[in-house]
């Protein structure tokens, strides 16, 4: 119980420090919302219609423009959740350089609890980001609830688990903040473009399309498509399972990698 | 003369610091990787002879009474795009899409084209747009009977005989989504667009170093050696512009060699590069002037602004796929003007035709530098 309390306090303080910093708030919340507003206006303003043709989604819905707007904004969200969580996961290296990590261990906190707290703080930061982002963009008119609450919650939670795991994995593999900044800056945008978040993968060569199966953003978009355009839960099962696997895989790599910091 | 020497030495030193601070990886390696990935991925979309990697399986429900229109024949005439399964039951075709065994279902009603055809598909895929394009070519508007449409379908309905008479199946032109006038290939477009984006980051790095000098005390020491504030600020601005020029030189050579990207003739390119680099440096200059003197704060503010500017300026999402109103809204941005300028040179237009781009970069640079100068003069008044 004591350990759990300790983990919760460290994770909570870490999340608090993040959202107290204006530059972090700008990156985690303000810029994604701003970009979403632009995307939203672009999708609505640029909606193309064909005379004599009625478009319909596989599940029979015909609110195509609302779905496309939602999808584009979800793509923006995915980039920023991955970017923010990878950057935050890298803070353990900064703490080590500044001696904070060593001081915490010196005070008798077991190392595995610090890693657990670190993992929890990444998830917590992602959760706060998701709630604020979805609320603000929803208030601005994005129809997040067009298929109900659960498809949205599951799509977001799936990506949060995958992103948290991968973020810890990257922190375990990289040795410095600089390396992590490089990965968090360029990686998510590339993954989004290769995962079909902004343009259909149909335009890509066959090998690039095949490569998408090892891309968490691709599976997250599949979960979103399944929830809103196909059969809901039934179509979300496979993407959700793959996202959970990404999360678990990343966490294992990360925990193994972060162990080396202890020695 | 002495001030000029100071400016050159300080700017050269700033450039050296950028070069030694991992620039080869994050300013050259990363963008080349991005250009490669985007070039490979979007090569088909930029090409005039686009066809998907594999034909897409679609279901067609075509009522007998409209089969003479030739919708099915038109689709079958595009074997590189579609593999067609014919259904007699509309529900079966829909179920195949829902089960993802078919990419789309095309349902042509008996009253088509007076009643709309239905395309059932995942809106995030390309297949719906291609099919809608084919079907739209069978409607009155597609046949150029706009006037009849405007006057109302009841007054002058389109009949099947009109369609057959005007456009048999063999005359239906296949839709080529890549035939839009992109003006440049994917590799060429992204070589230029990504270089413009990262040139902003490169120029901004110099600005961050200049701010860092204030925090570390290097600035005070330089001032004590007789360098005026004006000279130091001018050196920072000149250093950022110089970094831009060097960066564009490096990227144009690298992308020419790796991806065969064209950047236009050398003389035209040089003029545009110098003017564009000054314009990009002016953006960072203003950020430095208005932000509190914290390297981290200036770096983050610049990073955020550059990300948004790159997005609006066509560096991430290609300009030709953006709606016209959206493109027109941001022509005043210096990075957009520079991108337009480079794309124009790459397509063979002479420098003389880039009047608008030069005007934008000139006016915006002047405004930004003047504002920055004013802001920093007020802030550092006590220094004098």
């Amino acid at each position: 119980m004591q350990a759990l309390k300790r983990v919760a306090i460290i994770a909570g303080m870490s999340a608090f420090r993040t959202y107290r910093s204006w530059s972090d708030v700008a990156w985690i919340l303000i810029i994604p919302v701003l970009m979403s507003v632009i995307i939203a206006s672009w999708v609505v303003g640029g909606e193309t219609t064909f005379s004599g043709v009625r478009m319909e989604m596989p599940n029979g819905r015909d609110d195509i423009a609302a779905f496309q707007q939602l999808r584009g904004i979800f793509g923006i969200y995915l980039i920023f959740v991955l970017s923010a969580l990878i950057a935050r996961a890298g803070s353990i290296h900064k703490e080590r350089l500044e001696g904070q990590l060593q001081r915490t261990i010196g005070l008798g906190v077991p190392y595995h609890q610090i890693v657990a707290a670190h993992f929890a703080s990444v998830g917590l930061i992602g959760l706060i980001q998701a709630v604020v982002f979805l609320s603000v963009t929803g208030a601005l008119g994005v129809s997040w609830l067009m298929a109900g609450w659960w498809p949205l919650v599951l799509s977001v939670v799936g990506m949060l688990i995958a992103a948290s795991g991968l973020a810890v994995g990257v922190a375990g593999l990289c040795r410095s903040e600089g390396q992590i900044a490089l990965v968090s800056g360029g990686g998510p945008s590339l993954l989004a473009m290769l995962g079909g978040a902004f343009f259909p993968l149909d335009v890509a060569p066959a090998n690039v399309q095949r490569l998408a199966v090892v891309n968490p953003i691709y599976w997250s978009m599949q979960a979103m498509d399944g929830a809103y355009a196909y059969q809901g839960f039934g179509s979300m099962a496979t993407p959700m399972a793959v996202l959970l696997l990404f999360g678990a895989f990343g966490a294992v790599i990360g925990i193994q990698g972060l162990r080396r910091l202890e020695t | 003369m002495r001030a000029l020497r100071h400016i050159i030495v300080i700017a050269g030193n700033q450039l050296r610091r950028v070069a030694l601070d991992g620039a080869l990886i994050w300013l050259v390696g990363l963008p080349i990787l991005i250009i490669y990935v985007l070039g490979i991925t979007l090569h088909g979309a930029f090409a005039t002879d686009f066809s998907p990697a594999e034909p897409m399986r679609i279901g067609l429900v075509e009522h007998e009474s409209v089969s003479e229109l030739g919708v099915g024949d038109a689709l079958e005439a595009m074997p590189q795009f579609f593999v067609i399964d014919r259904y007699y039951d509309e529900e079966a075709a829909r179920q195949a899409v829902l089960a993802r065994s078919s990419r789309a279902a095309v349902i042509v009603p008996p009253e088509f084209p007076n009643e709309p055809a239905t395309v059932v598909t995942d809106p995030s895929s390309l297949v719906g747009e291609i099919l809608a394009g084919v079907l739209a070519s069978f409607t009155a508007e597609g046949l150029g009977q706009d006037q009849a449409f405007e006057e109302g379908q009841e007054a002058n309905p389109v009949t099947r005989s009109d369609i057959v008479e005007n456009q048999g199946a063999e005359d239906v032109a296949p839709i080529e989504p890549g035939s839009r006038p992109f003006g440049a290939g994917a590799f060429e477009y992204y070589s230029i667009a990504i270089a413009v984006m990262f040139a902003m980051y490169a120029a901004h790095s110099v600005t961050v170093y200049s701010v860092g000098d204030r925090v570390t005390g290097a600035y005070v020491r330089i001032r004590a050696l007789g360098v005026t504030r004006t000279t130091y600020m001018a050196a920072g601005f000149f250093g950022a512009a110089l970094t831009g020029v060097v960066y564009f030189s490096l990227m144009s050579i690298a992308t020419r060699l790796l991806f065969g990207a064209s950047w236009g003739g050398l003389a035209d390119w040089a003029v545009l590069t110098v003017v564009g680099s000054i314009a990009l440096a002016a953006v960072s200059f203003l950020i430095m002037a208005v932000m509190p003197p914290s390297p981290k704060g200036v770096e983050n503010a610049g990073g955020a602004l550059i990300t948004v500017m790159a997005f609006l300026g066509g560096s991430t999402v290609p300009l030709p796929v953006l709606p016209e109103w959206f493109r027109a809204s941001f022509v005043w941005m210096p990075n957009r003007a520079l991108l337009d300028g480079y794309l124009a040179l790459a397509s063979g237009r002479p420098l003389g035709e880039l009047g608008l781009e030069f005007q934008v970069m000139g006016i915006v640079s002047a405004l930004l530098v003047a504002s920055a100068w004013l802001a920093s003069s007020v802030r550092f008044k006590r220094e004098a």
Side-chain angles (χ1 to χ4, degrees):
Chain A
M1 198 60 201
Q2 182 72 13
L4 209 61
K5 194 175 156 192
R6 210 179 267 153
V7 167
I9 289 172
I10 297 174
M13 285 307 294
S14 177
F16 175 69
R17 276 203 308 276
T18 300
Y19 285 103
R20 205 180 50 180
S21 153
W22 269 108
S23 60
D24 283 340
V25 169
W27 270 116
I28 296 175
L29 295 174
I30 298 174
I31 300 288
V33 169
L34 190 65
M35 301 267 280
S36 301
V37 171
I38 296 166
I39 285 265
S41 64
W42 161 31
V43 174
V44 170
E47 183 189 349
T48 49
T49 50
F50 292 87
S51 64
V53 183
R54 187 175 157 270
M55 302 295 284
E56 199 179 292
M57 289 197 259
N59 59 7
R61 301 178 69 108
D62 60 359
D63 36 3
I64 307 279
F67 174 68
Q68 282 179 332
Q69 184 190 60
L70 179 150
R71 204 176 180 278
I73 292 170
F74 191 64
I76 291 279
Y77 165 71
L78 294 180
I79 290 182
F80 281 93
V81 69
L82 207 51
S83 177
L85 297 195
I86 292 173
R88 282 311 304 165
S91 67
I92 197 165
H93 296 292
K94 190 180 173 197
E95 289 174 9
R96 182 170 53 96
L97 279 176
E98 292 173 347
Q100 194 183 335
L101 186 68
Q102 292 85 338
R103 287 197 294 277
T104 313
I105 291 171
L107 286 169
V109 180
Y111 185 72
H112 70 268
Q113 287 183 16
I114 295 175
V115 173
H118 193 64
F119 201 174
S121 79
V122 169
L124 186 60
I125 289 164
L127 191 63
I128 294 170
Q129 182 193 31
V131 170
V132 176
F133 179 87
L134 296 174
S135 305
V136 174
T137 50
L140 291 173
V142 180
S143 316
W144 291 114
L145 299 178
M146 65 189 271
W149 275 97
W150 284 108
L152 175 66
V153 170
L154 285 178
S155 301
V156 171
V157 167
M159 186 56 194
L160 267 182
I161 292 170
S164 302
L166 290 172
V168 175
V170 171
L173 286 175
C174 294
R175 298 287 83 188
S176 73
E177 262 205 302
Q179 291 171 356
I180 287 173
L182 196 69
V183 176
S184 70
S189 303
L190 271 182
L191 287 178
M193 288 179 195
L194 292 174
F198 297 120
F199 42 78
L201 275 180
D202 299 327
V203 301
N207 286 337
V208 174
Q209 292 182 28
R210 285 185 202 112
L211 207 61
V213 297
V214 291
N215 183 340
I217 288 189
Y218 167 78
W219 287 106
S220 204
M221 295 310 295
Q222 286 291 306
M224 172 61 75
D225 291 345
Y228 287 82
Y230 286 88
Q231 301 178 74
F233 290 119
S235 302
M236 291 178 81
T238 305
M240 287 296 291
V242 178
L243 287 172
L244 292 180
L245 276 178
F246 269 114
F249 179 68
V252 169
I253 299 263
I255 289 166
Q256 289 297 325
L258 291 173
R259 260 187 189 174
R260 284 178 286 156
L261 296 179
E262 193 179 14
T263 55
Chain B
M1 198 61 200
R2 193 160 165 249
L4 191 64
R5 197 164 61 86
H6 285 155
I7 289 174
I8 292 169
V9 170
I10 295 170
N13 180 256
Q14 303 282 36
L15 176 62
R16 185 172 164 272
R17 287 166 78 178
V18 173
L20 294 178
D21 191 17
L24 212 58
I25 296 175
W26 82 272
L27 281 178
V28 180
L30 181 63
I32 283 178
L33 178 70
I34 294 173
I35 293 164
Y36 178 71
V37 169
L38 289 174
I40 287 278
T41 307
L42 291 175
H43 178 70
F46 276 73
T48 50
D49 55 349
F50 169 82
S51 62
E54 287 165 8
M56 298 175 275
R57 182 168 291 280
I58 62 168
L60 175 65
V61 185
E62 192 179 25
H63 199 272
E64 265 180 32
S65 59
V66 286
S67 59
E68 62 180 13
L69 286 180
V71 173
D73 295 338
L75 295 173
E76 275 168 358
M78 302 167 74
Q80 74 278 30
F81 283 86
F82 305 118
V83 172
I84 299 166
D85 295 325
R86 286 182 182 267
Y87 289 87
Y88 295 100
D89 178 12
E90 194 178 305
E91 197 47 39
R94 286 176 184 276
Q95 283 301 320
V97 180
L98 199 59
R100 299 195 195 225
S101 56
S102 189
R103 295 288 302 275
V106 179
I107 299 158
V108 186
E111 301 80 13
F112 182 75
N114 293 324
E115 283 291 314
T118 302
V119 175
V120 182
T121 188
D122 179 351
S124 63
S125 80
L126 196 63
V127 62
E129 202 172 322
I130 300 173
L131 287 170
V134 173
L135 289 165
S137 70
F138 284 86
T139 62
E141 284 181 355
L143 292 168
Q145 295 183 5
D146 297 330
Q147 203 181 343
F149 242 69
E150 281 164 18
E151 286 167 7
Q153 281 289 294
E154 292 83 8
N156 190 8
V158 180
T159 61
R160 272 173 232 142
S161 56
D162 292 337
I163 306 275
V164 175
E165 191 179 308
N166 284 297
Q167 187 170 350
E170 66 276 13
D171 299 327
V172 177
I175 299 298
E176 293 181 16
S179 63
R180 285 174 291 184
F182 274 58
F187 279 108
E188 192 162 85
Y189 182 90
Y190 276 112
S191 293
I192 294 169
I194 297 292
V196 169
M197 177 166 89
F198 276 80
M200 287 195 283
Y201 284 119
H204 192 61
S205 302
V206 173
T207 307
V208 173
Y209 285 132
S210 295
V211 177
D213 285 349
R214 288 181 184 274
V215 177
T216 60
Y219 172 70
V220 179
R221 292 195 292 277
I222 292 168
R223 287 293 309 272
L225 290 169
V227 176
T228 63
R229 184 179 71 86
T230 308
T231 304
Y232 191 81
M233 283 184 66
F237 178 67
F238 181 65
L242 180 67
T243 303
V245 172
V246 171
Y247 182 71
F248 277 120
S249 308
L250 203 63
M251 286 302 286
S252 62
I253 293 169
T255 54
R256 260 180 222 267
L257 291 176
L258 290 171
F259 310 123
S262 164
W263 290 71
L266 185 62
D268 291 355
W269 171 87
V271 174
L272 184 62
T273 299
V274 170
V275 175
S277 299
I278 290 171
L280 299 186
V283 176
S284 288
F285 195 49
L286 181 64
I287 296 170
M288 180 182 75
V290 297
M291 285 292 292
S294 143
K296 197 74 189 163
V298 171
E299 187 178 6
N300 285 337
L305 186 68
I306 291 167
T307 303
V308 176
M309 283 178 69
F311 180 72
L312 300 179
S315 282
T316 45
V317 181
L319 289 171
V321 304
L322 295 169
E324 178 55 38
W325 67 268
F326 190 91
R327 269 182 305 192
S329 305
F330 300 104
V331 287
W332 54 269
M333 293 200 318
N335 59 318
R336 167 65 194 282
L338 184 57
L339 174 61
D340 284 343
Y342 277 132
L343 288 174
L345 291 186
S347 65
R349 280 171 59 198
L351 196 67
E353 287 184 16
L354 305 184
L356 175 67
E357 285 78 9
F358 278 109
Q359 272 177 24
V360 167
M361 287 188 283
I363 293 169
V364 172
S365 303
L367 282 175
L368 292 176
V369 171
S371 310
W373 204 272
L374 194 69
S376 58
S377 298
V378 172
R379 172 179 285 175
F380 301 110
K381 206 160 55 177
R382 279 176 300 173
E383 258 187 49

